[in-house]
Amino acid sequence: MSDGRSVLSLTSMHDTWRGWLTTQALPLWSNEGFDDRRHLYHERLTWDGAPIAMAQLRLMVQARQVATYCRAALDGLYDVSTQAIRCLDEVERLYRHCDGASGWIFSLAPDGTPADRKRDLYAHAFILFAYAWAYELTKEEHYRRIARETVEEVHKIFAAANGGFSDAVPAPDTVRRQNPHMHLLEAYLALFEATREQFYLDHAKALVKFALGRFIDKRSDMLLEFFDAEWVPCEVYGKNRVEPGHLFEWAWLLREYERLVGFGGEKAAQIAGTADRLFAAGISVGIDPETGIAFDAMTEEGVVYERSTRIWPQTELMRLLCQRRRLGLLNDAILLVRLSHVFFGRYAPQRLSGGWIDRLDSSLTPLVDYMPASSLYHIYGPGRELGIGVSLCK
């Protein structure tokens, strides 16, 4: 693709994403996707945009929606920040300390009482992420204070004696997962950027050090998903689960970490090198070479065994491609444009009017019959980069 055609394609992509976000996706989930009576977001919509009654409303979903709409307001793309902040205040009232114990419950019942009282690290990471963006938007001291108190509770509730964190309390099993650690790092980076408090950067540094030492297999340079209580991979070599989408998320986060820390020298080279290797692993064996679509799962030897595809690995790859273009590391407009076409052709077709299909099988046939709100968080990340201005991706 020539430079002229590349710019034209990226400009067209920018217009498409901006239009879709501002006139369809963000309005859908702040109107049909929001319960005005309860001041909470719906978990799911039908293909026609009608709310689906759920037995539980998860903290994670509320936090993701709040963070997304705070960001959209800050980005000047779409402003329903009053709604998002009202929701966050209600979430704090309903989920935090509501059973007399530290931390946040996992989910609510339809009547507003606790449905699942367990403390979940993944959910705590996202409520911290929401508070970071709420503070960035409002500069209200209350949100800074609750975030700080929640971090302290996270370390009291989840910290493991041999490093890292437990997934949940009470623990449903003995498996430990990299995924909640990744999102906790994301929250710490967002909180540091919003507050400039060294407290959050120190926690981010500790998480990065732990992740580099535990989660990445030294033989394959692949990021593994599951470990036992001693942080040993759950399966023998060659049988462990690797998710290409998480390779792309970690690569993006490590580069963000490098940017925010601002260090140079050997340490910066180590972080950058790890990010590059994760990207290379994902792009070389984790995607379909014909379409560019990222698969759901493979082994650390690159054997793909789940050829189904979810929406979020595609958007995480697009966000990473944008980041690498900005850093001067990649100039692959062809793949970026191809993925954007696939996104609107397969995952977010026009007939859904701002909605999406979360998961497809290997033949690209839908595996679900509803739209999950939780996907908006993953979509908005690259969406803002692709939709705010083409200069972000040039």
Side-chain angles (χ1 to χ4, degrees):
M1 184 180 289
S2 67
D3 290 344
R5 288 180 61 195
S6 173
V7 171
L8 285 173
S9 295
L10 289 172
T11 301
S12 174
M13 186 171 60
H14 149 66
D15 294 341
T16 298
W17 275 91
R18 187 180 184 90
W20 183 76
L21 284 172
T22 59
T23 68
Q24 295 188 64
L26 292 170
L28 173 66
W29 293 93
S30 64
N31 292 310
E32 288 86 348
F34 187 73
D35 185 339
D36 289 307
R37 179 181 61 85
R38 301 181 65 189
H39 303 290
L40 298 172
Y41 291 97
H42 294 297
E43 284 244 352
R44 295 177 181 178
L45 299 178
T46 67
W47 296 136
D48 295 324
I52 297 174
M54 302 289 292
Q56 298 186 25
L57 285 180
R58 292 171 294 167
L59 173 64
M60 177 271 288
V61 171
Q62 302 303 314
R64 284 187 174 192
Q65 297 297 77
V66 168
T68 297
Y69 282 108
C70 287
R71 294 179 75 190
L74 285 162
D75 292 335
L77 277 179
Y78 185 79
D79 191 351
V80 289
S81 53
T82 299
Q83 176 192 92
I85 294 300
R86 176 69 179 84
C87 174
L88 183 60
D89 292 341
E90 190 70 359
V91 166
E92 184 181 317
R93 182 180 74 84
L94 293 170
Y95 290 80
R96 184 175 188 253
H97 298 175
C98 63
D99 57 355
S102 297
W104 301 66
I105 64 169
F106 181 76
S107 63
L108 285 181
D111 64 358
T113 60
D116 188 338
R117 298 169 186 263
K118 75 168 174 276
R119 270 45 179 180
D120 180 76
L121 181 61
Y122 190 86
H124 278 70
F126 276 106
I127 199 63
L128 285 170
F129 189 66
Y131 272 84
W133 287 105
Y135 179 73
E136 181 71 23
L137 177 69
T138 67
K139 299 305 179 186
E140 290 287 339
E141 183 60 28
H142 174 79
Y143 300 121
R144 181 202 288 257
R145 179 177 62 81
I146 297 299
R148 183 69 171 251
E149 290 176 3
T150 298
V151 170
E152 291 169 352
E153 289 180 330
V154 162
H155 283 261
K156 290 178 182 177
I157 295 169
F158 301 104
N162 56 350
F165 298 90
S166 299
D167 286 31
V169 176
D173 53 40
T174 59
V175 176
R176 293 187 179 169
R177 297 161 177 84
Q178 70 75 25
N179 197 16
H181 293 76
M182 178 182 72
H183 289 296
L184 190 58
L185 172 61
E186 178 184 37
Y188 287 154
L189 294 179
L191 283 163
F192 172 68
E193 193 156 26
T195 66
R196 310 312 296 186
E197 292 179 15
Q198 186 67 30
F199 172 81
Y200 295 112
L201 194 57
D202 289 344
H203 281 306
K205 288 179 179 179
L207 261 181
V208 169
K209 180 179 180 180
F210 184 79
L212 297 185
R214 293 291 190 178
F215 299 155
I216 299 175
D217 175 68
K218 298 297 187 294
R219 283 180 283 183
S220 63
D221 279 331
M222 293 284 194
L223 180 96
L224 308 185
E225 292 290 329
F226 304 126
F227 304 83
D228 67 18
E230 299 302 319
W231 294 110
V232 175
C234 283
E235 305 294 339
V236 298
Y237 182 78
K239 300 294 183 180
N240 287 283
R241 183 180 181 89
V242 173
E243 296 189 8
H246 285 152
L247 299 182
F248 302 139
E249 279 193 90
W250 268 104
W252 186 88
L253 277 171
L254 288 174
R255 286 288 185 175
E256 278 292 283
Y257 171 72
E258 180 188 5
R259 176 181 69 85
L260 290 170
V261 172
F263 49 41
E266 183 178 342
K267 187 64 176 177
Q270 180 192 10
I271 297 297
T274 301
D276 289 347
R277 287 191 295 274
L278 292 177
F279 168 72
I283 208 77
S284 62
V285 293
I287 68 172
D288 185 315
E290 296 298 321
T291 64
I293 295 176
F295 298 117
D296 279 347
M298 59 187 182
T299 70
E300 65 266 55
E301 292 185 327
V303 178
V304 176
Y305 65 90
E306 283 187 15
R307 293 185 174 271
S308 53
T309 64
R310 293 193 65 185
I311 195 171
W312 67 264
Q314 322 315 319
T315 57
E316 293 302 334
L317 176 53
M318 283 189 275
R319 181 175 67 162
L320 179 57
L321 289 171
C322 277
Q323 181 192 61
R324 292 180 67 82
R325 289 177 64 82
R326 287 200 309 275
L327 293 172
L329 300 171
L330 184 72
N331 190 31
D332 196 347
I334 294 175
L335 179 56
L336 194 53
V337 171
R338 183 195 304 165
L339 283 168
S340 183
H341 284 311
V342 169
F343 177 86
F344 288 111
R346 295 292 187 172
Y347 297 96
Q350 184 63 34
R351 64 182 173 83
L352 295 184
S353 303
W356 44 75
I357 301 167
D358 182 69
R359 192 173 189 186
L360 305 173
D361 66 15
S362 59
S363 64
L364 302 183
T365 300
L367 286 170
V368 292
D369 60 358
Y370 60 86
M371 299 186 258
S374 57
S375 301
L376 183 58
Y377 149 82
H378 283 291
I379 291 167
Y380 190 74
R384 70 171 298 277
E385 301 203 25
L386 296 166
I388 289 178
V390 68
S391 60
L392 285 175
C393 287
K394 285 176 65 175

